[in-house]
Amino acid sequence: MENNSFDVNVELNIETFQSGELTRTKISEPGKFTQMGKSIYLRFNESLENGDKASILVKVTEDGEIHVKRVAKSTNLSSLLYFTHQEHNSGHLETEYGVMPLGTFTKDSKVEFKSNPLSGKINIDYDLIYDNNVIGNYKFRLIFSA
């Protein structure tokens, strides 16, 4: 099994439209790019306001499905969301009070990778769904480079 791991710089921009309000989040952090078999993984941290960090793992499978896992131990929150181009997926948010099922509908997704020099983009436009209601519209823009 192929296992190549490289240090990369990650820039993640997220636009959230929820309850009529637009919020923008920008994360710029060092990260790690790993290829295992035909799947690729990006790991990096998000600096939180309280000085702690949330760890983020983005996996792109061989068939183009994207998994985004975010764990913030200091706030007892972790989420796992799945994205498949123009499909509904089930995911969840874990809190100290229990697990909340969340769904996603991926309106658009695009993944690009270049190996020399190592760089890439992962774009996801999606709706976040709870209890059959859209609770937010998101634009996820991740760019990385070695």
Side-chain angles (χ1 to χ4, degrees):
M1 185 189 297
E2 212 177 318
N3 185 348
N4 298 315
S5 198
F6 302 95
D7 290 329
V8 292
N9 292 314
V10 176
E11 187 171 302
L12 174 59
N13 292 293
I14 300 173
E15 261 187 30
T16 307
F17 189 73
Q18 230 173 350
S19 305
E21 200 171 299
L22 182 65
T23 309
R24 289 187 172 90
T25 306
K26 184 174 182 171
I27 300 169
S28 254
E29 297 281 349
K32 195 66 99 179
F33 171 94
T34 306
Q35 183 168 356
M36 290 175 53
K38 297 198 177 187
S39 293
I40 48 175
Y41 300 82
L42 276 166
R43 296 176 195 278
F44 57 97
N45 290 321
E46 172 187 359
S47 296
L48 303 175
E49 289 176 6
N50 60 5
D52 285 326
K53 293 193 180 297
S55 63
I56 298 175
L57 171 65
V58 179
K59 175 184 179 182
V60 180
T61 66
E62 180 179 353
D63 59 4
E65 186 174 271
I66 304 164
H67 307 175
V68 178
K69 183 175 186 175
R70 183 181 180 275
V71 178
K73 289 190 173 117
S74 64
T75 58
N76 292 318
L77 287 176
S78 91
S79 60
L80 181 56
L81 299 175
Y82 299 93
F83 305 97
T84 309
H85 187 70
Q86 296 199 323
E87 289 186 24
H88 285 272
N89 287 78
S90 297
H92 63 270
L93 173 68
E94 290 180 38
T95 72
E96 57 190 302
Y97 305 107
V99 177
M100 192 167 103
L102 291 174
T104 57
F105 175 69
T106 309
K107 295 186 262 192
D108 194 22
S109 63
K110 187 173 185 181
V111 177
E112 295 175 14
F113 288 105
K114 293 181 185 144
S115 56
N116 197 4
L118 177 63
S119 63
K121 290 183 203 175
I122 300 171
N123 292 347
I124 312 168
D125 293 353
Y126 68 97
D127 291 335
L128 189 62
I129 301 162
Y130 174 69
D131 199 23
N132 293 321
N133 294 305
V134 174
I135 58 172
N137 311 106
Y138 292 78
K139 290 185 185 302
F140 178 101
R141 302 288 183 266
L142 188 148
I143 300 170
F144 71 90
S145 59

